Amino acid sequence: MSFSGGLDEAAKHDVLTTIVVFGASGDLAKKKTYPALFHLYQQGLLPRRTRILGYARTQMERDSFVSRVTSFFKKDTPPADIEGFLAICGYVSGKYDVAEDFIRLREEIDQQEHAMAKRAEDERVHIYYLALPPSVFVSVGTQIRTN
């Protein structure tokens, strides 16, 4: 079941929330997107059942992803805050125009939401953030809609 409210309403109503950051290996995601999401996390402004998935063409191990995501966090940030944030973050690599890669992304989203669900019919919200060049917007939008 989908949810028609925004992120603030999802937080109030404990809605399963998945944020997908396309272009997660790029500079925009590293310098702005992940620090902003981390700030929302620190302030308690994300729904309790939130999962953040990065998606990009770059193949990265978990350690490389963590290093990239946290590289622009403030140096005096409590380690417990960083650990808590990283616990809700994941990464999937794939191409922006390959259906099979988006099917893998969908399977990862479904698996994570199933693990967080209280009931099978729980409402969910998906937020897709495109930290991408405009040249791939159409193919990504098409793949999201199709898969």
Side-chain angles (χ1 to χ4, degrees), residues 6 14 18-19 23 30 36-37 43-44 54 64 68 72-73 79 85-86 88 90 103 113 116 119-120 129-130 134 136:
D14 190 29
T18 301
I19 301 170
K30 173 175 74 171
L37 290 169
Q43 300 302 312
S64 297
R68 180 171 281 279
F72 278 79
F73 289 6
F85 178 72
L86 292 174
I88 67 169
I103 290 169
E113 288 180 346
M116 292 188 298
R119 302 175 315 272
Y129 184 85
L130 279 62
V136 295

Side-chain angles (χ1 to χ4, degrees), residues 20-30 32-34 53-58 91-97 102 105 127-144:
V20 180
V21 178
F22 288 100
S25 65
D27 279 350
L28 177 61
K30 173 175 74 171
K32 300 291 182 183
T33 308
Y34 278 102
L53 284 175
Y55 183 93
R57 293 177 295 203
T58 305
Y91 182 79
V92 176
S93 67
K95 295 187 173 151
Y96 297 125
D97 58 354
F102 276 79
L105 174 63
I127 299 169
Y128 300 104
Y129 184 85
L130 279 62
L132 298 167
S135 60
V136 295
F137 282 6
V138 173
S139 62
V140 170
T142 301
Q143 292 296 335
I144 291 169

